[in-house]
Amino acid sequence: MPGLAPLLLGDGRLPVGAYTYSAGLEPAVAAGLTRDDVPALLRARLRTAAVTESAAAVLALRAARADPVDYEPVQRALAARTPAAPLREASATLGRGVHRLARRLAPDHPAVTALSSIHPRPLRPVTLGALGAVMDVSEEELAHGVIYDELQTITSAALKLLPGDPLDTVAWILAAEPDATAAAHEALAVRNPAGLPARTPLLTEQWALEHARRERRLFLA
């Protein structure tokens, strides 16, 4: 079915994401963020972490289509730009799910087999790049898919953490479209791992460290 792959990549649940990860929403709620603040959080994420992750996924897709496939420069650059250990661990955990899906779809694809050489574990944007190669999506489709996945993950978590009208979450995503488009364009403009933006949302990093110490939580981060 033409066009289905980018839609799947943009689903915040693929393969387990929004079920275990809130893209920083749960720690933000614990710090006092309210339902009315969610649109501002979406915009902030689109201008920071989402640009970095989308660009890393695109760089990984380019690496996946090279011969030989070498993800290490992208993996190292992304890890260096994710200073909070809980967020790196969450990304690696989510990456494991994407890696498992890629192996199921195309176990012998060079883009998939190369993931196994990354230690300790490939981060999620790197595995999304590999999956993009398997599903033969364009760089533009992948960049927009990762950005939309960010929106879907946060709004899906909001339905659990800050219950309200589900139509509100759709309105939030539609209102964020200009920032989402700008983020995708910025991600596509990154040419190499050295140029990967270091867009660390400082409060998200702080909240993630606090969240990792909590005994009662719904999401990894």
Side-chain angles (χ1 to χ4, degrees), residues 14-104:
L14 178 71
V16 296
Y19 295 114
T20 60
Y21 178 61
S22 72
L25 180 63
E26 185 175 23
V29 170
L33 182 133
T34 68
R35 186 175 176 83
D36 290 340
D37 297 325
V38 174
L41 176 66
L42 292 176
R43 290 193 299 272
R45 295 282 300 187
L46 288 174
R47 295 170 184 174
T48 54
V51 174
T52 300
E53 296 208 348
S54 181
V58 171
L59 290 172
L61 176 62
R62 293 170 188 163
R65 289 173 171 162
D67 185 16
V69 179
D70 182 10
Y71 296 120
E72 285 295 343
V74 183
Q75 172 81 2
R76 290 194 301 268
L78 182 59
R81 290 156 177 77
T82 313
L87 292 181
R88 289 196 305 275
E89 181 61 27
S91 183
T93 298
L94 296 172
R96 182 172 58 195
V98 177
H99 188 185
R100 184 176 68 249
L101 173 59
R103 286 199 307 268
R104 183 161 183 171

Side-chain angles (χ1 to χ4, degrees), residues 9-202:
L9 287 172
D11 188 331
R13 298 165 297 180
L14 178 71
V16 296
Y19 295 114
T20 60
Y21 178 61
S22 72
L25 180 63
E26 185 175 23
V29 170
L33 182 133
T34 68
R35 186 175 176 83
D36 290 340
D37 297 325
V38 174
L41 176 66
L42 292 176
R43 290 193 299 272
R45 295 282 300 187
L46 288 174
R47 295 170 184 174
T48 54
V51 174
T52 300
E53 296 208 348
S54 181
V58 171
L59 290 172
L61 176 62
R62 293 170 188 163
R65 289 173 171 162
D67 185 16
V69 179
D70 182 10
Y71 296 120
E72 285 295 343
V74 183
Q75 172 81 2
R76 290 194 301 268
L78 182 59
R81 290 156 177 77
T82 313
L87 292 181
R88 289 196 305 275
E89 181 61 27
S91 183
T93 298
L94 296 172
R96 182 172 58 195
V98 177
H99 188 185
R100 184 176 68 249
L101 173 59
R103 286 199 307 268
R104 183 161 183 171
L105 291 175
D108 299 324
H109 195 294
V112 177
T113 58
L115 289 173
S116 299
S117 65
I118 300 177
H119 296 287
R121 287 182 292 171
L123 300 177
R124 181 167 174 268
V126 177
T127 59
L128 286 172
L131 183 61
V134 168
M135 301 174 81
D136 196 28
V137 301
S138 69
E139 293 182 6
E140 291 78 9
E141 289 169 333
L142 180 61
H144 284 277
V146 174
I147 295 296
Y148 187 64
D149 171 88
E150 177 85 4
L151 297 173
Q152 284 283 67
T153 298
I154 293 174
T155 54
S156 294
L159 292 174
K160 301 178 181 69
L161 298 167
L162 301 166
D165 189 342
L167 291 179
D168 288 342
T169 65
V170 178
W172 294 338
I173 291 176
L174 292 175
E177 191 278 333
D179 290 297
T181 298
H185 288 166
E186 189 171 355
L188 288 165
V190 177
R191 305 317 305 169
N192 53 61
L196 185 66
R199 297 288 183 83
T200 300
L202 297 180

